[in-house]
Amino acid sequence: MVQEAVEDDGGQNLVAEHLSPLAVVGVWCCSSDSVTTAEATAPLVVAALCEWRHWLEDLAERFAALAPPPSPAGSVVDPWHWERACTRLVTVVADRTQAESGWYEHCMQVLRWFLASTGIDEEQAREVVENAVGGRFGSWIAPDATEVEAVSSRLARTVGGHR
């Protein structure tokens, strides 16, 4: 297993030691804190990539589960599907990032990825997400249920015209 292969000189599993279930990539802080010697940095890079891959795989599963059901050409998808997906994705990103600095940018990225995964053009997905989220979330502040509901409702109303 990849986790078992990532060990420091003392035999401690760096992934298990540094993984945080709430962080998207918890082992890596920034270059000034995470980059030291090649021997110390290489295992952190591997662990960070493993965490990132796990997050992307988790998102892929969520995207598949949250995607609206196929609809006949020309028909409109029930807005409930978009609202539910947005609510769940905003919530999971806020949780995983602990709503730290700039978390909302990654949240918007995840929402764009989700919309693109359902067949919405990337530029249209960017417009939909910017309209729904833009400026409504802030660093170090997890959104409350009312904010998530408002963003999800806006996204659901806006995406209807792009599908």
Side-chain angles (χ1 to χ4, degrees):
M1 179 161 204
V2 174
Q3 288 182 342
E4 295 168 9
V6 181
E7 296 182 351
D8 68 10
D9 292 334
Q12 298 298 313
N13 184 313
L14 288 175
V15 174
E17 181 180 318
H18 295 286
L19 267 180
S20 167
L22 298 177
V24 173
V25 178
V27 299
W28 192 267
C29 173
C30 56
S31 295
S32 61
D33 290 333
S34 299
V35 176
T36 58
T37 66
E39 296 78 23
T41 304
L44 289 177
V45 170
V46 172
L49 290 172
C50 289
E51 282 184 86
W52 182 246
R53 179 180 178 155
H54 175 73
W55 173 237
L56 294 177
E57 290 170 345
D58 181 65
L59 286 176
E61 290 174 12
R62 289 176 191 276
F63 290 0
L66 293 170
S71 58
S75 66
V76 175
V77 173
D78 184 341
W80 175 85
H81 293 288
W82 301 117
E83 197 166 332
R84 180 188 79 159
C86 183
T87 297
R88 291 186 179 181
L89 292 171
V90 168
T91 302
V92 76
V93 172
D95 286 345
R96 288 280 176 101
T97 61
Q98 300 175 23
E100 291 184 346
S101 179
W103 76 272
Y104 54 89
E105 290 291 337
H106 184 55
C107 181
M108 293 173 68
Q109 179 181 43
V110 167
L111 291 172
R112 289 190 307 268
W113 288 345
F114 171 71
L115 294 175
S117 77
T118 67
I120 294 175
D121 175 78
E122 288 184 29
E123 181 58 30
Q124 292 172 332
R126 187 196 60 72
E127 291 172 16
V128 167
V129 171
E130 181 61 36
N131 179 60
V133 179
R136 291 174 179 88
F137 297 147
S139 292
W140 305 103
I141 303 169
D144 63 27
T146 304
E147 291 171 313
V148 174
E149 183 179 321
V151 165
S152 297
S153 178
R154 267 192 298 278
L155 184 130
R157 283 192 312 268
T158 307
V159 78
H162 289 288
R163 177 122 161 119

